[in-house]
Amino acid sequence: MNVLAELGVAMDCNEIQNKTRETGKPIRFNNANKMLKRYPELVKRIEILGENVRYKITDTGRTYLRLINLS
């Protein structure tokens, strides 16, 4: 989710995988998909016919990241 917060744009799981690989902490697309689907309050799921599902971080997701980064 950090990559979604840092970039501030909706991304599909392949884009998340590619951006996290650049940080040295890669998250495989299928793992990103599983986790983002599991916590719908943290990200908004954007479904457009004929395109990959995209995710955009919510305000709740940003708050969650701030809290876990405090420790």
Side-chain angles (χ1 to χ4, degrees):
M1 276 196 339
N2 282 328
V3 71
L4 291 174
E6 290 169 6
L7 296 177
V9 296
M11 300 173 75
D12 67 32
C13 291
N14 288 318
E15 292 169 326
I16 293 169
Q17 175 178 278
N18 293 335
K19 286 295 180 185
T20 58
R21 187 181 303 131
E22 292 172 12
T23 68
K25 298 178 183 178
I27 299 173
R28 292 189 54 207
F29 71 92
N30 61 328
N31 292 333
N33 186 44
K34 287 177 191 176
M35 294 308 294
L36 294 171
K37 283 172 50 175
R38 188 173 295 168
Y39 300 102
E41 57 278 345
L42 302 179
V43 293
K44 180 179 179 186
R45 203 173 145 89
I46 302 167
E47 297 183 53
I48 300 173
L49 189 63
E51 293 185 20
N52 290 339
V53 174
R54 300 177 81 74
Y55 296 94
K56 184 169 177 115
I57 193 165
T58 62
D59 289 337
T60 303
R62 289 182 203 291
T63 301
Y64 174 77
L65 286 177
R66 278 194 298 273
L67 290 172
I68 64 169
N69 288 326
L70 287 176
S71 55

